[in-house]
Amino acid sequence: MFVSRVSRFGTQMVKRLTKGTLTSAPKTGNLPKVYNYFFHSLHQTFSTTTAHEEGDKEVEEISVTFVDKDEMETHIKVPIGMSMLEAAHEHDIELEGACEGSCACSTCHVIVRDMEYYNKLEDPTDEENDMLDLAFGLTETSRLGCQMTAKPELDGICLELPSATRNFAVDRYAKAT
C-alpha cells in the first residue's frame, strides 16, 4: 500500500513537471511556493480522506442517524475520527456530555440500534463500562457517545437517545437545595 501511494505521488509529480505547472529549477523567489505545493501534494497522496472539502483539505464522512425519545430521526454526516458526542453537539442534537467527553459521566449514553454495527465497535474499556453502569435505560448495545469514534465501517449507524439521563452533579445539587 505504501509503495503504491509513493508510485502515485511520483506519477503526479512527473505529470506536473511535464505540464509545466511545477518547474524543476525554481527561481529563488518561488522556492516557498514549490515547497508548499510539494508537501501539499504529498499530504493528499497519503491521505485517506475523500468526501468533502473543508478549507483546503478533504474530509471523509459517514452517515449517522440519531433517534430522539420521540422517535424523531436526525440524519447527519460525521467526519472520520470525530466522536459521536462531538458530532451531536455540532448538529444541535440533545446529547448532554456533562464531562465534555472525558468518560467521567454517563450523560452521553446512546443505544446502538443494530447489533451488526455494535459488533463493529471496539470493546468498551473498563472506565466506559463503569460509567455505563450508571446510565439510565442501559441495554445490551449501550455505549457512551464520547467513546464512539466515526470510522468507515460505521457508515449508516443508527443511535438512539435514551428517554432520560442521570447527571449526578446536577441531581445531587437539586436534592441539596
Side-chain angles (χ1 to χ4, degrees), residues 87-99:
H89 287 178
E90 279 193 8
H91 292 86
D92 297 322
I93 295 170
E94 293 187 28
L95 187 59
E96 188 174 344
C99 72

Side-chain angles (χ1 to χ4, degrees):
M1 183 169 180
F2 177 77
V3 173
S4 68
R5 288 180 185 236
V6 171
S7 298
R8 264 189 278 147
F9 179 73
T11 304
Q12 288 176 357
M13 292 305 292
V14 169
K15 285 180 183 176
R16 302 267 195 260
L17 285 169
T18 57
K19 288 183 181 178
T21 58
L22 182 65
T23 60
S24 58
K27 296 177 185 165
T28 308
N30 290 337
L31 190 57
K33 187 184 285 186
V34 172
Y35 178 82
N36 286 338
Y37 175 80
F38 175 78
F39 282 102
H40 179 71
S41 296
L42 184 63
H43 171 74
Q44 285 182 334
T45 301
F46 289 99
S47 176
T48 59
T49 58
T50 57
H52 85 274
E53 290 189 18
E54 190 174 283
D56 65 343
K57 57 183 178 174
E58 295 177 357
V59 179
E60 186 178 355
E61 298 175 319
I62 63 169
S63 295
V64 177
T65 302
F66 282 90
V67 181
D68 69 14
K69 61 185 175 187
D70 299 321
E71 292 295 316
M72 295 292 297
E73 293 185 356
T74 304
H75 304 278
I76 64 171
K77 295 287 188 181
V78 180
I80 299 298
M82 179 180 277
S83 78
M84 295 301 141
L85 175 63
E86 292 172 300
H89 287 178
E90 279 193 8
H91 292 86
D92 297 322
I93 295 170
E94 293 187 28
L95 187 59
E96 188 174 344
C99 72
E100 298 179 0
S102 63
C103 197
C105 72
S106 63
T107 59
C108 66
H109 168 224
V110 294
I111 300 164
V112 181
R113 282 204 162 172
D114 187 340
M115 184 60 89
E116 182 180 324
Y117 282 105
Y118 182 83
N119 291 333
K120 293 178 182 180
L121 296 169
E122 294 178 18
D123 290 338
T125 62
D126 290 341
E127 293 82 11
E128 182 179 0
N129 278 327
D130 289 345
M131 291 299 109
L132 283 169
D133 287 342
L134 306 173
F136 179 85
L138 189 65
T139 71
E140 186 178 318
T141 59
S142 289
R143 293 299 297 266
L144 296 181
C146 67
Q147 300 301 301
M148 293 177 61
T149 304
K151 52 187 182 178
E153 53 269 28
L154 296 179
D155 188 35
I157 194 169
C158 183
L159 303 174
E160 180 182 339
L161 304 178
S163 59
T165 62
R166 288 189 181 136
N167 184 338
F168 289 103
V170 172
D171 293 343
R172 282 192 199 125
Y173 177 75
K175 290 178 184 176
T177 57

